Coordinates of all heavy atoms in Angstrom, one line a residue:
M1 N 86.9 125.8 85.5 CA 88.2 125.5 86.2 C 88.6 124.1 86.3 O 89.7 123.7 86.1 CB 88.0 126.2 87.6 CG 89.3 126.1 88.4 SD 90.5 127.1 87.7 CE 91.9 127.1 88.9
I2 N 87.6 123.2 86.6 CA 87.8 121.8 86.8 C 88.2 121.2 85.4 O 89.1 120.3 85.3 CB 86.6 121.1 87.3 CG1 86.4 121.5 88.8 CG2 86.7 119.5 87.2 CD1 85.1 121.0 89.4
K3 N 87.6 121.7 84.3 CA 87.9 121.2 83.0 C 89.4 121.6 82.6 O 90.0 120.7 82.0 CB 87.0 121.9 82.0 CG 85.6 121.3 82.0 CD 84.8 122.0 80.9 CE 83.3 121.6 81.0 NZ 82.5 122.1 79.9
L4 N 89.8 122.7 83.0 CA 91.2 123.1 82.7 C 92.2 122.2 83.5 O 93.2 121.7 82.9 CB 91.4 124.6 83.1 CG 92.8 125.2 82.8 CD1 93.0 125.2 81.4 CD2 92.9 126.6 83.5
V5 N 91.9 121.9 84.7 CA 92.8 121.1 85.5 C 92.8 119.7 84.9 O 93.8 119.0 84.8 CB 92.4 121.1 87.1 CG1 93.1 120.0 87.8 CG2 92.6 122.4 87.6
T6 N 91.7 119.2 84.6 CA 91.5 117.8 84.0 C 92.3 117.8 82.7 O 93.0 116.8 82.4 CB 90.1 117.4 83.8 OG1 89.4 117.6 85.0 CG2 89.9 116.0 83.2
L7 N 92.2 118.7 81.8 CA 92.9 118.8 80.6 C 94.4 118.8 80.8 O 95.2 118.1 80.1 CB 92.4 120.0 79.7 CG 93.1 120.1 78.3 CD1 92.6 118.9 77.5 CD2 92.7 121.4 77.8
F8 N 94.8 119.6 81.8 CA 96.3 119.6 82.1 C 96.8 118.4 82.5 O 97.9 117.9 82.1 CB 96.5 120.8 83.2 CG 97.9 120.8 83.6 CD1 98.8 121.4 82.9 CD2 98.3 120.3 84.9 CE1 100.2 121.5 83.3 CE2 99.6 120.4 85.3 CZ 100.5 120.9 84.5
L9 N 96.0 117.6 83.4 CA 96.5 116.3 83.8 C 96.6 115.4 82.7 O 97.5 114.5 82.7 CB 95.6 115.9 85.0 CG 95.7 116.6 86.3 CD1 94.7 116.1 87.4 CD2 97.1 116.5 86.8
I10 N 95.6 115.4 81.8 CA 95.7 114.4 80.7 C 96.8 114.7 79.8 O 97.5 113.8 79.4 CB 94.3 114.6 79.9 CG1 93.1 114.0 80.7 CG2 94.4 113.9 78.5 CD1 91.8 114.2 80.1
V11 N 97.2 115.9 79.6 CA 98.3 116.3 78.8 C 99.6 115.9 79.5 O 100.5 115.3 78.9 CB 98.4 117.8 78.5 CG1 99.7 118.2 77.9 CG2 97.3 118.2 77.6
V12 N 99.7 116.0 80.8 CA 100.9 115.6 81.5 C 101.1 114.1 81.5 O 102.1 113.6 81.2 CB 100.8 116.1 83.0 CG1 101.9 115.5 83.8 CG2 101.0 117.7 83.0
V13 N 100.0 113.4 81.6 CA 100.0 111.9 81.7 C 100.4 111.4 80.3 O 101.2 110.4 80.1 CB 98.7 111.3 82.1 CG1 98.6 109.8 81.8 CG2 98.4 111.6 83.5
T14 N 99.9 112.0 79.2 CA 100.2 111.6 77.9 C 101.7 111.9 77.5 O 102.3 111.0 76.9 CB 99.3 112.4 76.8 OG1 97.9 112.3 77.1 CG2 99.6 112.0 75.4
L15 N 102.2 113.0 77.9 CA 103.7 113.3 77.7 C 104.5 112.3 78.5 O 105.6 111.9 78.1 CB 104.0 114.8 78.2 CG 103.5 115.8 77.2 CD1 103.8 117.1 77.7 CD2 104.3 115.6 75.8
A16 N 104.1 111.9 79.7 CA 104.9 111.0 80.5 C 104.9 109.6 79.8 O 105.9 108.9 79.9 CB 104.3 110.9 81.9
M17 N 103.7 109.2 79.2 CA 103.7 108.0 78.5 C 104.6 108.0 77.4 O 105.3 107.0 77.1 CB 102.3 107.6 78.1 CG 101.4 107.2 79.3 SD 99.6 106.9 78.9 CE 99.5 106.8 77.2
F18 N 104.6 109.1 76.6 CA 105.5 109.2 75.4 C 106.9 109.2 75.8 O 107.8 108.6 75.2 CB 105.2 110.4 74.6 CG 103.9 110.4 73.8 CD1 103.2 111.5 73.5 CD2 103.4 109.2 73.3 CE1 102.0 111.5 72.8 CE2 102.2 109.1 72.6 CZ 101.5 110.3 72.4
G19 N 107.3 109.8 76.9 CA 108.6 109.8 77.4 C 109.1 108.5 77.9 O 110.3 108.2 77.6
K20 N 108.2 107.8 78.5 CA 108.6 106.4 78.9 C 108.8 105.5 77.8 O 109.7 104.6 77.8 CB 107.4 105.9 79.8 CG 107.8 104.6 80.5 CD 108.8 105.0 81.7 CE 109.0 103.8 82.6 NZ 110.1 104.0 83.5
L21 N 108.1 105.7 76.7 CA 108.3 104.8 75.5 C 109.5 105.3 74.7 O 109.9 104.5 73.8 CB 107.0 104.9 74.7 CG 105.7 104.2 75.2 CD1 104.5 104.5 74.3 CD2 106.0 102.7 75.4
G22 N 110.0 106.5 74.9 CA 111.2 106.9 74.2 C 110.9 107.6 73.0 O 111.7 107.8 72.1
W23 N 109.7 108.1 72.7 CA 109.3 108.7 71.5 C 109.8 110.2 71.5 O 109.9 110.8 70.4 CB 107.8 108.7 71.3 CG 107.3 107.3 71.0 CD1 107.9 106.2 70.9 CD2 105.8 106.9 70.9 NE1 107.1 105.1 70.6 CE2 105.8 105.6 70.6 CE3 104.7 107.7 70.9 CZ2 104.7 104.9 70.5 CZ3 103.5 107.0 70.8 CH2 103.5 105.7 70.5
L24 N 110.2 110.7 72.6 CA 110.6 112.1 72.5 C 112.1 112.2 72.4 O 112.7 113.3 72.5 CB 110.2 112.8 73.9 CG 108.8 112.9 74.1 CD1 108.5 113.6 75.5 CD2 108.1 113.7 73.0
G25 N 112.8 111.1 72.1 CA 114.2 111.1 71.9 C 115.0 111.4 73.2 O 114.7 110.9 74.3
K26 N 116.0 112.2 73.1 CA 116.9 112.5 74.3 C 116.2 113.5 75.2 O 116.6 113.5 76.4 CB 118.2 113.2 73.8 CG 119.0 112.2 73.0 CD 120.4 112.7 72.8 CE 121.2 111.7 72.0 NZ 122.6 111.9 72.2
L27 N 115.1 114.2 74.8 CA 114.4 115.0 75.8 C 113.7 114.2 76.8 O 113.7 114.6 78.0 CB 113.4 116.0 75.0 CG 114.0 117.0 74.1 CD1 112.9 117.7 73.4 CD2 114.8 118.0 75.0
G28 N 113.1 113.1 76.4 CA 112.4 112.3 77.4 C 113.2 111.3 78.1 O 112.7 110.7 79.1
G29 N 114.4 111.1 77.8 CA 115.3 110.2 78.4 C 115.2 108.8 77.9 O 116.0 107.9 78.1
G30 N 114.2 108.5 77.2 CA 114.0 107.2 76.5 C 113.9 106.0 77.5 O 114.2 104.9 77.2
G31 N 113.4 106.4 78.8 CA 113.2 105.3 79.7 C 114.5 104.8 80.3 O 114.5 103.8 80.9
R32 N 115.6 105.5 80.1 CA 116.9 105.1 80.6 C 117.4 105.9 81.8 O 118.5 106.1 82.0 CB 117.9 105.1 79.5 CG 117.7 104.2 78.4 CD 118.5 104.4 77.2 NE 117.8 105.5 76.5 CZ 118.4 106.4 75.7 NH1 119.6 106.4 75.5 NH2 117.7 107.3 75.1
V33 N 116.5 106.5 82.5 CA 116.8 107.4 83.6 C 117.4 106.6 84.7 O 116.9 105.6 85.1 CB 115.6 108.2 84.1 CG1 116.0 109.1 85.2 CG2 115.0 109.0 83.0
G34 N 118.6 107.0 85.2 CA 119.2 106.4 86.3 C 120.2 105.3 86.0 O 120.9 104.9 86.8
K35 N 120.3 104.8 84.7 CA 121.2 103.7 84.4 C 122.5 104.4 83.9 O 122.5 105.3 83.1 CB 120.6 102.9 83.3 CG 119.4 102.1 83.7 CD 119.0 101.2 82.6 CE 117.8 100.4 83.0 NZ 117.3 99.5 82.0
R36 N 123.6 104.0 84.4 CA 124.9 104.4 84.0 C 125.7 103.4 83.5 O 125.5 102.2 83.8 CB 125.6 104.9 85.3 CG 125.0 106.1 85.9 CD 125.7 106.6 87.1 NE 125.1 107.7 87.8 CZ 125.5 108.2 88.9 NH1 126.5 107.7 89.5 NH2 124.9 109.3 89.4
P37 N 126.7 103.7 82.6 CA 127.6 102.7 82.0 C 128.4 102.1 83.3 O 128.8 102.8 84.2 CB 128.5 103.4 81.1 CG 128.4 104.9 81.4 CD 127.0 105.0 82.0
P38 N 128.8 100.9 83.2 CA 129.6 100.3 84.3 C 131.0 101.0 84.4 O 131.6 101.2 83.5 CB 129.8 98.8 83.9 CG 129.6 98.8 82.3 CD 128.7 99.9 82.1
G39 N 131.3 101.2 85.7 CA 132.6 101.9 86.0 C 133.7 100.9 86.3 O 133.5 99.7 86.0
P40 N 134.8 101.4 86.6 CA 135.9 100.5 86.9 C 135.6 99.6 88.1 O 134.8 99.9 89.0 CB 137.1 101.4 87.2 CG 136.5 102.6 87.6 CD 135.2 102.8 86.9
G41 N 136.2 98.5 88.1 CA 136.0 97.5 89.2 C 136.6 97.9 90.5 O 137.1 99.1 90.6
K42 N 136.6 97.1 91.6 CA 137.2 97.5 92.8 C 138.7 97.5 92.6 O 139.3 96.7 91.9 CB 136.7 96.4 93.9 CG 135.3 96.6 94.2 CD 135.0 95.6 95.4 CE 133.5 95.7 95.8 NZ 133.2 94.9 96.9
P43 N 139.4 98.3 93.4 CA 140.9 98.4 93.2 C 141.6 97.1 93.9 O 141.0 96.5 94.8 CB 141.3 99.6 94.0 CG 140.1 99.8 95.0 CD 138.9 99.4 94.3
A44 N 142.7 96.7 93.4 CA 143.4 95.6 93.9 C 144.0 95.9 95.3 O 144.5 97.1 95.6 CB 144.6 95.3 93.0
V45 N 143.8 95.0 96.3 CA 144.2 95.3 97.6 C 145.0 94.1 98.1 O 144.8 92.9 97.7 CB 142.9 95.3 98.6 CG1 143.4 95.5 100.0 CG2 142.0 96.5 98.1
C46 N 146.1 94.4 98.8 CA 147.0 93.3 99.3 C 146.2 92.4 100.3 O 145.5 92.9 101.2 CB 148.3 93.9 100.0 SG 149.4 92.8 100.7
I47 N 146.5 91.2 100.3 CA 145.8 90.2 101.1 C 146.3 90.3 102.5 O 145.6 90.2 103.5 CB 145.9 88.8 100.5 CG1 145.2 88.7 99.2 CG2 145.3 87.7 101.5 CD1 145.5 87.4 98.4
R48 N 147.7 90.5 102.6 CA 148.3 90.5 103.9 C 148.0 91.8 104.8 O 147.6 91.8 105.9 CB 149.8 90.4 103.8 CG 150.2 88.9 103.4 CD 151.6 88.9 103.4 NE 152.1 87.6 102.9 CZ 153.3 87.3 102.7 NH1 154.3 88.1 102.9 NH2 153.6 86.0 102.2
C49 N 148.3 93.0 104.1 CA 148.3 94.2 104.9 C 147.0 95.0 104.6 O 146.7 96.0 105.3 CB 149.5 95.1 104.7 SG 149.7 95.6 103.0
G50 N 146.3 94.9 103.4 CA 145.1 95.6 103.1 C 145.3 96.9 102.4 O 144.4 97.6 102.2
R51 N 146.6 97.2 102.1 CA 146.9 98.4 101.2 C 146.5 98.1 99.8 O 146.5 97.1 99.3 CB 148.3 98.8 101.4 CG 148.7 99.2 102.8 CD 150.1 99.6 103.0 NE 151.0 99.4 101.9 CZ 152.3 99.8 101.9 NH1 152.9 100.2 103.0 NH2 153.1 99.6 100.8
H52 N 146.3 99.3 99.1 CA 146.0 99.2 97.7 C 147.4 99.0 97.0 O 148.4 99.5 97.2 CB 145.4 100.6 97.2 CG 144.1 100.9 97.7 ND1 143.0 100.3 97.3 CD2 143.7 101.7 98.8 CE1 142.0 100.7 97.9 NE2 142.4 101.6 98.9
V53 N 147.2 98.1 95.9 CA 148.3 97.6 95.1 C 148.2 98.4 93.8 O 147.3 98.4 93.1 CB 148.3 96.1 94.8 CG1 149.4 95.7 93.8 CG2 148.3 95.3 96.0
I54 N 149.3 99.2 93.5 CA 149.4 100.1 92.3 C 150.3 99.5 91.4 O 151.5 99.1 91.7 CB 149.9 101.5 92.7 CG1 148.9 102.0 93.8 CG2 150.0 102.3 91.5 CD1 149.3 103.5 94.3
G55 N 149.8 99.3 90.1 CA 150.6 98.7 89.1 C 150.7 97.2 89.2 O 149.9 96.5 89.8
T56 N 151.7 96.6 88.6 CA 151.9 95.1 88.6 C 152.9 94.6 89.6 O 153.1 93.5 89.8 CB 152.4 94.7 87.2 OG1 153.6 95.4 86.8 CG2 151.3 95.0 86.2
E57 N 153.5 95.6 90.3 CA 154.5 95.2 91.3 C 153.8 94.6 92.5 O 152.7 95.1 92.9 CB 155.4 96.4 91.7 CG 156.2 97.1 90.7 CD 157.4 96.2 90.3 OE1 157.9 95.5 91.2 OE2 157.7 96.1 89.1
P58 N 154.4 93.7 93.2 CA 153.9 93.1 94.4 C 153.9 94.2 95.6 O 154.6 95.2 95.5 CB 154.7 91.9 94.8 CG 156.0 92.2 94.1 CD 155.6 93.0 92.9
C59 N 153.1 94.0 96.6 CA 153.0 94.9 97.7 C 154.4 95.0 98.5 O 155.2 94.1 98.4 CB 151.9 94.4 98.6 SG 151.7 95.6 100.1
D60 N 154.6 96.1 99.1 CA 155.9 96.3 99.9 C 156.0 95.3 101.0 O 157.1 94.9 101.4 CB 156.0 97.7 100.3 CG 156.2 98.7 99.2 OD1 156.7 98.3 98.1 OD2 155.9 99.9 99.4
C61 N 154.9 94.8 101.6 CA 155.0 94.0 102.7 C 155.5 92.6 102.3 O 156.1 91.8 103.1 CB 153.6 93.8 103.4 SG 152.4 92.9 102.5
D62 N 155.5 92.2 101.0 CA 156.0 90.9 100.5 C 157.5 91.0 100.4 O 158.2 90.0 100.4 CB 155.4 90.6 99.1 CG 153.9 90.3 99.2 OD1 153.5 89.8 100.3 OD2 153.3 90.3 98.2
K63 N 158.1 92.2 100.2 CA 159.6 92.3 100.0 C 160.3 92.2 101.3 O 161.5 92.1 101.3 CB 159.8 93.7 99.4 CG 159.2 93.8 98.0 CD 159.5 95.1 97.4 CE 158.9 95.3 96.0 NZ 159.0 96.7 95.4
V64 N 159.7 92.4 102.5 CA 160.3 92.4 103.7 C 160.6 91.0 104.2 O 160.0 90.1 103.9 CB 159.5 93.2 104.8 CG1 160.2 93.0 106.1 CG2 159.3 94.6 104.4

């Protein structure tokens, strides 16, 4: 029983090492787990009123 558990743990550790090195391709994740491509930046906000600025037009508080 102890030999079986030891063999299982050795196999699991070996697969984990191969996955970390990226030898398993997309199945193992290639060591890139948790990394995402950069998303869009923070939205533009009016300095005076704090509302979101949509498009290239100035904020409505500047027109008053």
Side-chain angles (χ1 to χ4, degrees):
M1 183 68 171
I2 294 176
K3 289 182 181 181
L4 183 64
V5 171
T6 305
L7 182 65
F8 175 74
L9 290 176
I10 290 172
V11 169
V12 168
V13 168
T14 305
L15 285 175
M17 287 177 13
F18 287 153
K20 192 70 172 173
L21 293 174
W23 291 357
L24 295 179
K26 294 191 178 198
L27 291 176
R32 291 168 278 154
V33 177
K35 293 185 180 178
R36 296 181 180 173
K42 292 185 177 180
V45 178
C46 178
I47 297 171
R48 290 184 184 174
C49 65
R51 294 186 346 187
H52 293 283
V53 179
I54 300 174
T56 57
E57 296 290 322
C59 183
D60 290 337
C61 70
D62 289 339
K63 295 179 183 177
V64 175

